[in-house]
Amino acid sequence: MDLARPDLRPDPSLSRAEMEALQREIAAAATFEDDHGLDPAAVAVEEVASLADGLPPARDEAQARLGTGDDERSADTTPDPDAPTVVGVDQAFLTDRGEDRPDAAVSAAVALRGGRVIEYASATTSLSIPYIPGLLAFREGEPILAALDALDADPDLLICDGSGRIHFREAGLATHVGVLRDVPSVGVAKSLLCGDPDEVTDERPEGWRTPIRADDAVTTAEAGTVIGHAFQSRQYPNSRRVNPLYVSPGHRLSAETAVDLVAALCAGYKLPEPTRLADAYADTVKRDAD
DNA sequence: GCGACAG
DNA sequence: ATCTTGTCGC
């Protein structure tokens, strides 16, 4: 059965209070427990991936394009058809020369299966509301859904750039998108919106993690509830300066499984491969735009 | 009034 | 997020 919740899609004219109320509904509809068939080992990306080099780039919006590789090497490059499809989404912004505010968002979605890119697509949409801490999903949610619509692949897992449950109302970007589509989702943020790490996060070794617990800024959860993890995805031997990632479940995942999945999706860079590739593709589309 | 805040 | 070259270190 289809448990997607298009009814929770925000109306563009919502007031701030209405947006916050909608987030409480979204959080209530979200599941922060494991409800999926994903095995971190099955989604793992063992080697650094890349967008299918040498293939025509995906068309913006309507026409997503397969990037599976040459026919000659199809036997080697065809990913396991039974492996789950993991989709990373990220955005880049376009600012008209002379303007100070970005007026359009380029959303990119990159699908991987068995550690290889199988498809990528993008959508360029005009921006309606400005960035407001806590309300990011109202700025980036629709653009992201547009990019997902441009993809033929059916995501088994979404990796979003931003928070999921680590949010004032437990309804960050990853939760918003995950609930609207009823797809397991994870939020990967580069800085912490709210909550408290159990331990100091500075100068930690690669692979290290610590729980993030709700503090009084999280109005919908009891203080102390684990809402995510700080995760040191990468660290350099000598110079200690890489900040950890802040990983939180978006929908249908526990906080623990969310970090396990992200750890499995990292392959040498700070960001998990789906996010890193979506980031790179969004930049490419943006550059081609001007 | 002060603090504090994803992208 | 964005505006941007070189530069420090492995």
Side-chain angles (χ1 to χ4, degrees):
Chain A
M1 63 186 145
D2 186 8
L3 295 177
R5 297 297 301 274
D7 56 303
L8 293 176
R9 175 153 36 126
D11 182 279
S13 63
L14 295 182
S15 66
R16 178 171 184 142
E18 289 170 326
M19 289 191 270
E20 293 180 354
L22 179 57
Q23 289 187 322
R24 293 177 212 282
E25 286 187 61
I26 288 171
T31 299
F32 299 126
E33 289 170 6
D34 290 308
D35 177 19
H36 55 82
L38 301 164
D39 170 12
V43 307
V45 177
E46 305 296 352
E47 294 173 15
V48 170
S50 66
L51 293 177
D53 293 305
L55 288 179
R59 287 282 202 81
D60 201 22
E61 263 158 286
Q63 303 177 32
R65 197 151 194 155
L66 293 179
T68 38
D70 312 0
D71 292 342
E72 307 165 48
R73 284 186 286 167
S74 57
D76 289 344
T77 61
T78 300
D80 176 359
D82 296 325
T85 299
V86 183
V87 174
V89 289
D90 192 26
Q91 297 173 307
F93 297 86
L94 300 168
T95 306
D96 278 341
R97 196 171 62 76
E99 301 300 322
D100 51 344
R101 300 254 174 205
D103 67 322
V106 173
S107 300
V110 177
L112 291 85
R113 190 191 291 152
R116 299 191 60 89
V117 174
I118 59 167
E119 187 190 6
Y120 51 91
S122 73
T124 299
T125 45
S126 56
L127 260 20
S128 47
I129 78 168
Y131 165 68
I132 299 169
L135 299 179
L136 179 66
F138 294 93
R139 175 177 172 81
E140 303 194 347
E142 282 303 312
I144 286 174
L145 293 176
L148 291 176
D149 284 340
L151 212 56
D152 286 330
D154 200 7
D156 293 307
L157 173 66
L158 291 177
I159 308 297
C160 301
D161 61 313
S163 292
R165 194 182 186 184
I166 293 179
H167 181 271
F168 308 132
R169 292 165 292 278
E170 297 177 278
L173 182 61
T175 303
H176 185 104
V177 175
V179 167
L180 292 195
R181 288 295 167 84
D182 191 36
V183 173
S185 62
V186 179
V188 177
K190 292 180 287 298
S191 60
L192 190 59
L193 177 62
C194 57
D196 284 322
D198 271 4
E199 301 175 60
V200 170
T201 60
D202 297 330
E203 303 178 32
R204 296 300 189 171
E206 207 165 286
W208 178 88
R209 61 181 71 173
T210 196
I212 301 291
R213 296 177 188 279
D215 56 10
D216 53 15
V218 181
T219 62
T220 55
E222 185 181 339
T225 303
V226 175
I227 55 177
H229 292 267
F231 172 59
Q232 193 73 46
S233 57
R234 179 159 201 205
Q235 194 57 277
Y236 299 120
N238 285 335
S239 65
R240 73 299 181 277
R241 53 173 187 183
V242 179
N243 295 122
L245 253 24
Y246 296 94
V247 180
S248 58
H251 183 43
R252 293 174 55 180
L253 288 171
S254 64
E256 293 70 24
T257 303
V259 228
D260 289 341
L261 288 168
V262 169
L265 291 168
C266 286
Y269 290 86
K270 171 173 178 173
L271 295 174
E273 292 300 291
T275 303
R276 190 180 67 78
L277 294 168
D279 182 78
Y281 186 51
D283 272 339
T284 297
V285 174
K286 176 187 174 176
R287 286 179 49 194
D288 293 351
D290 51 31

